[in-house]
Amino acid sequence: METNILAPLMFVVVFLIIFSGYPVAFALGGASLIFAFIGVQLGFFDWHLLFAMPERIFGVMSNYVLLAVPFFIFMGLVLEKAKLAEDLLTTIGTLFGRHNGGLALAVVVVGAMLAAATGVVGASVVAMGSISLPVMLRYKYSARLSSGVILASGTLGQIIPPSIVLVVLADQLGISVGDLFIGGLIPGLMLAAMYAMYVGGVAIVKPEAAPALPREMTDVDFGTLMRRVAVVMFPPLALILIVLGSIFAGIATPTEAGAIGSVGAILLASARRRMSLKVLREACIGATKLTTMVMFLLIGSTAFALVFRGLYGDIWIEDLLTNLPGGHIGLLLVANLVIFILGFFLDFFEIAFIIIPLLAPAAALLGIDLVWFGVMIGMNLQTSFLTPPFGFALFYLRGVAPPEVKTTDLYRAVIPFIIIQLIGLLLIIQWPGLVTGLVN
């Protein structure tokens, strides 16, 4: 009886500590040690089980797949710090800006490209927010439309490969990163297309909310503009094709492709005379900080999983999830609801390392395709990135938005895009072939 209580109680205590504001990695590790001690005192846990901890940590640190994470982070940060994203926004904005809604459409296109070139949500939102939001407001774009399209397009890095989220999910689900990248391609592009359709609809129904740019801004010789587009767009596109193409063709592993992408980003920045010691230093520091956070989370979640299983928590969770009313439909409903709600409060890394290891065995037992399951979770996490009051993308944009853009404007701005993302989530649930078609 006490064993059945200890496992769920451990789960509850961990979340109480996390929601109190204590760092997640240390909350996981501390709660694990406390419940290991309680379990030993009650005779339901053996200290000898903790001898497996060093071996598990060594396994985490030597995980070749997770080596892709710092490479893709570094690649994205180099492109951001070297201001290549700024060049993309300026050029594509000039290309589309002569039409109503053209600048917002340019943000969607650049958001999709940055997602495919970086896989880092924070970098995309900050880059587009600091560059394009002041310009859109200056030329009388609606604050809500401007903020909403930047927030939504910036989070495409959650689902469009080479997404860091998909790398982590693949590791936690025990499936191929390449398969998850292929599975996420169509849903990611589908979301970008739905954003573009929404922008087009707003431009038609409320043209004053998305006016065309003044003629002097777009009055550029066509040949000159095309040369500028070729110089700015083709090199990043070539880098994206090399990185993703090598993974999809099976020529390189995601880790090897990430290393190629990192070198490619340095070469692109150097070719545009933007590479400097300062850019390299900032990119290295940013990649080191984020990678260190991921590693500490992995160590904490490893300790949590070890003690949780020692208290038979894995059996309790598996029994609970596989006996839900409705079978796999019940599991999908509960999984999506839990992840969506936790996304209000926790970072995607934290959700991936705590929740996914508990859901994956039950999903496999119920015969759910884990590639499809991983993409579904990734899209759900992307939705939670936008959801008030704690959506992380909202905080990223708030940090760089002009003072005239209020926090309430940001909250209202994301509502249409949250609805679009929920529609996208329902579409891949209704038609799994959108995910599995290319994989199979």
Side-chain angles (χ1 to χ4, degrees), residues 106-118:
V107 169
V108 174
V109 172
V110 173
M113 289 187 65
L114 288 180
T118 68

Side-chain angles (χ1 to χ4, degrees), residues 148-235:
V149 77
I150 289 170
L151 286 164
S153 301
T155 59
L156 286 171
Q158 287 277 92
I159 193 70
I160 293 180
S163 163
I164 295 169
V165 179
L166 296 183
V167 174
V168 173
L169 287 176
D171 176 70
Q172 295 299 299
L173 289 168
I175 57 178
S176 163
V177 177
D179 284 350
L180 206 52
F181 278 5
I182 295 171
L185 188 60
I186 290 178
L189 295 177
M190 178 183 73
L191 272 183
M194 291 168 73
Y195 296 160
M197 290 168 62
Y198 173 74
V199 167
V202 171
I204 293 171
V205 176
K206 295 179 65 178
E208 70 279 4
L213 291 179
R215 184 175 294 275
E216 61 269 19
M217 288 287 297
T218 59
D219 192 15
V220 181
D221 176 71
F222 183 75
T224 302
L225 182 58
M226 287 301 101
R227 283 193 295 274
R228 191 187 303 172
V229 168
V231 169
V232 170
M233 283 189 65
F234 287 171

Side-chain angles (χ1 to χ4, degrees), residues 78 84 239 260-273 275:
V78 168
L84 298 182
L239 181 62
I260 293 169
S262 297
V263 174
I266 292 173
L267 293 176
L268 284 186
S270 301
R272 298 300 304 277
R273 301 179 185 275
M275 196 64 205

Side-chain angles (χ1 to χ4, degrees), residues 237-313:
L237 281 174
L239 181 62
I240 292 166
L241 289 174
I242 290 170
V243 171
L244 294 182
S246 62
I247 296 172
F248 293 168
I251 298 171
T253 65
T255 300
E256 292 164 346
I260 293 169
S262 297
V263 174
I266 292 173
L267 293 176
L268 284 186
S270 301
R272 298 300 304 277
R273 301 179 185 275
R274 305 279 180 78
M275 196 64 205
S276 65
L277 191 60
K278 179 184 176 184
V279 168
L280 185 62
R281 182 174 179 273
E282 289 178 353
C284 287
I285 291 173
T288 302
K289 284 181 177 178
L290 194 50
T291 305
T292 302
M293 184 197 78
V294 172
M295 289 300 109
F296 270 102
L297 276 170
L298 267 170
I299 293 169
S301 64
T302 300
F304 175 82
L306 183 62
V307 177
F308 191 69
R309 287 175 179 170
L311 296 172
Y312 307 102

Side-chain angles (χ1 to χ4, degrees), residues 362-394:
L365 278 174
L366 292 172
I368 295 173
D369 186 296
L370 291 182
V371 172
W372 172 82
F373 189 67
V375 172
M376 180 196 72
I377 290 171
M379 190 172 285
N380 194 332
L381 286 171
Q382 181 182 354
T383 304
S384 69
F385 239 81
L386 294 175
T387 310
F390 302 112
F392 285 90
L394 299 170

